Amino acid sequence: MKMIQAIALALVLGGAATAHAEQPIQRTDLIKSDIDVPGHEVVQVRVDLAPGVLAPNHSHPGEEVAFVIEGTLEYQLQGRKPVTLNAGQSLFIPSGVVHSAKNVGNGKASELATYIVRKGAPLVVPAK
């Protein structure tokens, strides 16, 4: 019986990993912690985008520092020209600025997004 349970668990976990890997945008929460600024917290997230995928216009209730871990991402900040970043480059996105990110490379692109945001506010606010 334990062998059957082990096989069933392996199938479920394997299927979940496959489904997870096929998502066009995958967010992995890394850390969330209070900081010394009253009413604010730091949140760090890894964002993986499949080739050609666009993270549509959105904003955040605080500042973001986006660091490209791998691949090539094009960022469009409202009112500015697009900026293309490669692995090892970073970008500061001011609080409330509507922006998007698109994987313009041939393979997966990943960013490490670090936010200093108002505590309790939704992290991602879709643009209207």
Side-chain angles (χ1 to χ4, degrees):
M1 187 62 156
K2 289 189 181 208
M3 179 62 90
I4 292 172
Q5 290 173 334
I7 292 170
L9 180 60
L11 289 172
V12 168
L13 292 177
T18 300
H20 196 62
E22 293 173 1
Q23 294 177 351
I25 300 176
Q26 179 182 336
R27 294 179 55 91
T28 305
D29 295 332
L30 302 173
I31 192 169
K32 184 177 189 177
S33 180
D34 290 342
I35 60 174
D36 287 343
V37 178
H40 288 74
E41 62 188 354
V42 63
V43 178
Q44 196 168 58
V45 177
R46 179 183 173 125
V47 182
D48 297 298
L49 291 92
V53 170
L54 171 72
N57 282 337
H58 62 281
S59 64
H60 306 285
E63 290 81 15
E64 174 184 2
V65 176
F67 174 79
V68 179
I69 299 169
E70 67 176 298
T72 304
L73 291 166
E74 180 182 86
Y75 295 88
Q76 176 67 60
L77 278 64
Q78 186 175 29
R80 300 185 189 177
K81 292 181 180 181
V83 175
T84 301
L85 300 180
N86 295 303
Q89 296 181 303
S90 47
L91 174 70
F92 176 77
I93 303 171
S95 179
V97 170
V98 173
H99 60 284
S100 63
K102 182 176 183 180
N103 180 349
V104 294
N106 295 325
K108 178 179 83 170
S110 303
E111 78 168 10
L112 179 64
T114 304
Y115 308 95
I116 304 295
V117 293
R118 289 187 310 276
K119 191 172 181 175
L123 183 60
V124 178
V125 180
K128 296 177 183 177

